[in-house]
Amino acid sequence: MFKGIYHGKQCHASDIATVLSRAWSSGVDRIIVTGGSLEESKEALAIAETDGRLFCTVGVHPTRCKEFEESGDPEKHFQALLSLAKEGIEKGKVVAIGECGLDYDRLHFCPSEIQRKYFEKQFELAYATKLPMFLHMREAAADFCAIVERNKDRFTGGVTHSFTGSAEDRDKLLTFNMYIGINGCSLKTAENLDVVRGIPIERMMIETDSPYCEIKNAHAGISFVKSTWPSKKKEKYDQDSLVKGRNEPCLVRQVLEVVDGCKGINDIDQLSRTLYHNTCSLEVSTCRVFFPQDLDSAADALLAGRRNTP
């Protein structure tokens, strides 16, 4: 979509540079580009190399796990992922293994048994690289948690992103050495907001999952949104406006506002600071997450500089 292509149709020119510029000017400091297949992970690394503020993951999304067997040699496919991850680590760009996990909401893309097999296999990538994991769980909490439990000593932590589960699912995830990621899909209903209220801020991350998971006007969380940007339909593209229906990194601000409002915190700067540290440098047990090289003081200075910039 950021190349201007929607459902195979070119609607406007690529606007990646414009989208990134809007993100940086809105207070975003870093972006992690998510890999969902071997080829997509290669592309994510190539994108990450274009800007010092861009990073990426390497892994296979549950709905794409058939690619291991369709490659004709699953072990060779795995080794290609491992080599790519190591290459990206050397370049200072790959910060997590993923997006991997289970998605039983879309079994038409990949059967559950293949998803489970290669979700478990990707813990070997995390173990070999000592990287945290960027995880996906959709309508599969029991099997997901069972696999994580079996492999909890093989990875250094991470985040279960785009969380839409129940309070019971939330509480089970909180027993593991990981965070829960919240975006627009996590804030659709009143029940979703109740679940989010029960996530300790110290165990939460926020994200956009752009170009998907925007906060829509029909969502329960919209009442807490304060920041808005002009938008136009993709057929009437204007670089000074967002494309309607396409999420962007700058809109992470809206997720922050909903979390702040629904939890009744009313201190968005402190909330922002805590969530930033969760991503960059806060320790859980012996775990540092995506940017372990950052010291808290360095992150504080970066945040302070951002707030003081007109």
Side-chain angles (χ1 to χ4, degrees), residues 87-218:
E87 175 190 344
I89 291 170
E90 290 178 0
K91 292 177 176 178
K93 289 297 181 181
V94 173
V95 295
I97 297 301
E99 177 179 354
C100 54
L102 298 177
D103 190 327
Y104 290 179
D105 193 42
R106 290 178 283 182
L107 294 175
H108 52 288
F109 289 121
C110 184
S112 60
E113 61 272 18
I114 293 180
Q115 289 190 32
R116 289 191 294 271
K117 179 179 181 179
Y118 292 106
F119 176 30
E120 194 130 23
K121 180 70 174 176
Q122 290 182 81
F123 282 92
E124 295 181 27
L125 288 174
Y127 184 75
T129 60
K130 307 303 180 188
L131 288 176
M133 299 188 80
F134 188 79
L135 299 172
H136 177 105
M137 183 185 81
R138 184 75 76 239
E139 302 296 334
D143 285 351
F144 177 94
C145 290
I147 291 173
V148 171
E149 179 71 35
R150 286 199 298 271
N151 292 277
K152 63 184 180 182
D153 296 327
R154 305 181 75 195
F155 72 111
T156 61
V159 60
T160 300
H161 97 114
S162 194
F163 179 72
T164 59
S166 66
E168 182 181 4
D169 297 341
R170 172 200 66 202
D171 294 343
K172 180 62 177 177
L173 290 178
L174 290 173
T175 68
F176 298 121
N177 187 25
M178 69 172 69
Y179 294 80
I180 296 177
I182 300 302
N183 60 31
C185 289
S186 314
L187 307 168
K188 287 183 177 181
T189 68
E191 181 183 1
N192 289 152
L193 297 184
D194 284 340
V195 172
V196 168
R197 289 186 184 100
I199 303 174
I201 293 301
E202 293 75 17
R203 298 294 299 279
M204 181 188 292
M205 292 184 186
I206 59 172
E207 59 179 6
T208 58
D209 201 30
S210 60
Y212 312 109
C213 294
E214 65 176 328
I215 299 175
K216 298 181 180 180
N217 288 334

Side-chain angles (χ1 to χ4, degrees), residues 14 18 68 71 84 86 88 109 111 195 232 245 266 268 286 306:
S14 174
T18 299
F68 281 96
S71 71
L84 181 65
K86 288 181 176 179
F109 289 121
V195 172
K232 293 184 178 181
N266 298 318
I268 204 163
T286 58
R306 188 180 73 194

